[in-house]
Amino acid sequence: MDTNTENKACNCFKDTLNRVKDHLTEQGKVPEGAIDVDFRWQGQVFLLTQSDYAPVNPKVEAKFRAPKKGGGHARNMSKLEFSLMATHCCFCGRKYQRNNA
């Protein structure tokens, strides 16, 4: 995809999801005659703001064994999860316009 150097709104997420849908349909992964077919981004968000934002925020998961006070490491894994909020479109590079209200 081309880079969007202007700050006009992009449809990259919608276009990419449609391309995935078309590709999987053409490849026969979605059977012909299937009904109630629905393609969605996982991790989709809805923000109560007028700002420009990405409709999907990638989720990061980290796992580790914490060190014990007496030496060695914990038997069980510790886990952290968090989502990132993009400042630029990951497809065209356009910077999202934020309202500072």
Side-chain angles (χ1 to χ4, degrees):
M1 292 188 167
D2 295 329
T3 58
N4 185 353
T5 55
E6 303 167 20
N7 272 331
K8 60 182 181 180
C10 64
N11 294 318
C12 297
F13 281 90
K14 182 179 145 191
D15 294 345
T16 301
L17 193 61
N18 285 333
R19 288 177 57 207
V20 169
K21 178 182 178 181
D22 293 344
H23 177 75
L24 292 176
T25 303
E26 290 170 7
Q27 296 294 316
K29 302 292 183 184
V30 178
E32 188 175 329
I35 61 170
D36 299 331
V37 178
D38 185 31
F39 284 79
R40 294 179 189 222
W41 290 103
Q42 287 186 339
Q44 196 166 356
V45 297
F46 178 75
L47 296 177
L48 300 173
T49 179
Q50 296 298 321
S51 293
D52 194 14
Y53 64 92
V56 178
N57 294 323
K59 191 173 191 177
V60 176
E61 178 181 89
K63 292 182 180 180
F64 58 91
R65 292 187 197 278
K68 290 182 178 180
K69 290 181 182 177
H73 290 85
R75 187 171 37 158
N76 296 330
M77 297 288 286
S78 296
K79 184 168 132 178
L80 298 172
E81 291 182 347
F82 57 93
S83 294
L84 300 175
M85 189 164 195
T87 58
H88 292 72
C89 176
C90 62
F91 296 108
C92 72
R94 181 182 64 86
K95 184 172 182 172
Y96 294 123
Q97 299 299 306
R98 303 280 187 219
N99 291 342
N100 293 332

